[in-house]
Amino acid sequence: MTYIIVTRNEAVVGKPLASFDDALMQAAHLFGDDVKDWMTLNLRIEENR
């Protein structure tokens, strides 16, 4: 199973990552770790199906 980073407009950011932890670290690297920013972007990590 792989994980993807998704924004509010359903855009996938980057390539699928091997683990949730990798995806979380990549999202924090790209978008910072401010919760308000993530909520504004509706940033989330989803299973790649």
Side-chain angles (χ1 to χ4, degrees), residues 11-30:
V12 175
V13 178
K15 61 182 179 163
L17 297 154
S19 72
F20 183 87
D21 288 341
D22 289 343
L24 185 60
M25 287 190 299
Q26 182 67 21
H29 174 74
L30 294 171

